[in-house]
Amino acid sequence: MNGKKGSFEINIPSIPKAKMPGNGKKSSGDDMAFFSCKVWIWNVWEFCKEDSNRVVFSLKVGLAVLLVSLLILFQAPYKVFGTNIIWSILTVAIVFEYTVGATFNRGFNRALGSLLAGILAIGVAQLALSTGRVAEPFVIGISIFLIGTVTSFMKLWPSLVPYEYGFRVILFTYCLIIVSGYRMGNPIKTSMDRLYSIAIGGIVAVLVNVLILPIWAGEQLHKELVASFNAVADSLEECVRKYLEDDGSDHPEFSKTVMDEFPDEPAYRKCRTTLNSSAKLESLANSAKWEPPHGRFRHFFYPWSEYVKVGAVLRYCAYEVMALHGVLHSEIQAPYNLRITFQKEIQDATTQAAELVRSLGKDVSNMKQTLKTALLKRVHSSTERLQRAIDMHSYLLTSNYEPPDSSKPLPKLSHTLSSTLYDLSNQLAELDKTDLDQTSNLTNQNPPPPQTESYHEMMRKQSRRLHSWPSREVDAFEEEGSFSADTMIPRMKALESTAALSLATFTSLLIEFVARLDHLVESVDELSRMAKFEHEGL
């Protein structure tokens, strides 16, 4: 302002001429539009590169629509069918699906529904004409009501749900044929022309989809299942690796990690996709049943439903991996020194289990049946070693354990645990000695008040602060106003014990994952037998 007391000055810089609009250069709006267009093109490119079949499918649909449109663009076929040829274009747009099996399924429903609707329309039209001009609209109206009611009820029947689209086709095809035939005065000719047009559109859609770069639902189902095997194995190894490497120094807030959806864990996201793949696998299996023998699936009545069963068993294994992931990112964490005590056993069991899962996925991918006896034995042996380690050192999972009897031989601890306990005992001895010296000096000068904490207790509280729950420190209990040595120590011991039991939860989930692998092996063997995979011994 004018330099008065309490005032301040605001400097507004002048806009450079180089940035002024209209000087021959792009404005900020043009830059934003160019940047948005570039980002959009890049996203489209990434989407197409992720699955090239998407581009192939789009081009095939465009070709099929072009072929049936030629029937309208050329004069000769248009004179034969007239405006009814529009139904060919509608049929292509409705029938043409992503996979060949889905196209056959949709085409069957379309053909059968149109045929039944045409027959019903011709029969009801003849009946309406015989009743006279006065009763004809009433007969047609009543028939439309009955057809709409019956088809809508039948498509809700549980066993007829796969043919829901066929009942819908019956409804709208019948209504359009019967009403247009009533107005044009020749329902039979109208019905036949439209049935011919629908047949032309369906044939063009099927031929283009089968003969030009076909996308088979069976191949898609096969690849999805193999990818699920690899996703579960990768996610298991990633979760265990992060659990054993996390020393608690960089532990973000749980709410923040949930909002970020764990961007540093790509294998976890793939495993989560596997859990949500149930509907996709069932849809691909239903479409694959309509496909003729092709490629590597050369025999009739291929057991596509077994793929769905294997996927269901694999999802139960993925549930355990997701539970392990929940322990990894839980608020209650076991101390790092306690986790690395069982590091070798946990890593060994994880490696063997992941190898078995990948081996099963490889067998499904190569369509070969191999014996998994040796792999199963190694997985079970590593899991038993982990169980024995937890059983022998179970006293470490409680904070107030009593030392074992000196007359009995002590179990041999790992080097890491032995060194950790040795250092801890030395530190406690030094703290006790320092506490006694300071206490004797203070007693000679002034006697301490009854409620004063010792230095030893203070250091123990600091140690607990390092190994307690991340969201619940010692100071939080002191602020509650009821702090005393008699109540604090038991409560802190309970917290420490709960944190240590988090490791027991993690290992028990890992052991449960291994236990479910037996069912996974059995389901893959059943698929191999029914699909007639090639036998190959290990």
Side-chain angles (χ1 to χ4, degrees), residues 487-503:
T487 58
M488 173 57 67
I489 294 177
R491 295 176 68 177
M492 288 307 303
K493 285 184 178 181
L495 296 182
E496 290 176 359
S497 178
T498 305
L501 287 175
S502 142
L503 176 63

Side-chain angles (χ1 to χ4, degrees), residues 64-206:
V65 173
L66 173 62
L67 292 178
V68 295
S69 299
L70 295 178
L71 299 176
I72 300 177
L73 298 178
F74 292 157
Q75 190 68 23
Y78 184 74
K79 288 182 179 179
V80 176
F81 297 101
T83 58
N84 290 321
I85 202 64
I86 297 295
W87 285 68
S88 297
I89 300 177
L90 295 177
T91 301
V92 170
I94 294 173
V95 169
F96 210 110
E97 291 290 335
Y98 185 75
T99 61
V100 175
T103 301
F104 274 112
N105 187 6
R106 186 61 68 93
F108 173 79
N109 282 274
R110 175 71 171 171
L112 185 60
S114 300
L115 181 62
L116 293 177
I119 294 174
L120 289 173
I122 292 174
V124 173
Q126 293 296 328
L127 178 62
L129 287 175
S130 62
T131 58
R133 299 297 299 176
V134 177
E136 182 180 2
F138 294 98
V139 173
I140 293 176
I142 294 174
S143 66
I144 291 175
F145 172 77
L146 292 176
I147 293 296
T149 302
V150 172
T151 55
S152 299
F153 178 79
M154 293 301 293
K155 70 181 182 181
L156 299 177
W157 197 264
S159 60
L160 299 177
V161 169
Y163 307 101
E164 181 267 341
Y165 175 70
F167 289 107
R168 191 182 303 174
V169 168
I170 292 175
L171 176 59
F172 73 76
T173 302
Y174 175 83
C175 293
L176 292 176
I177 289 177
I178 196 69
V179 172
S180 60
Y182 172 74
R183 286 301 179 185
M184 293 179 181
N186 194 351
I188 298 178
K189 185 177 184 304
T190 302
S191 302
M192 296 304 298
D193 289 344
R194 294 192 176 184
L195 289 177
Y196 291 150
S197 300
I198 292 173
I200 292 173
I203 292 173
V204 170
V206 170

Side-chain angles (χ1 to χ4, degrees), residues 497-519:
S497 178
T498 305
L501 287 175
S502 142
L503 176 63
T505 302
F506 190 87
T507 54
S508 63
L509 290 172
L510 180 58
I511 294 172
E512 176 64 22
F513 176 85
V514 174
R516 296 190 178 188
L517 291 182
D518 292 337
H519 303 286

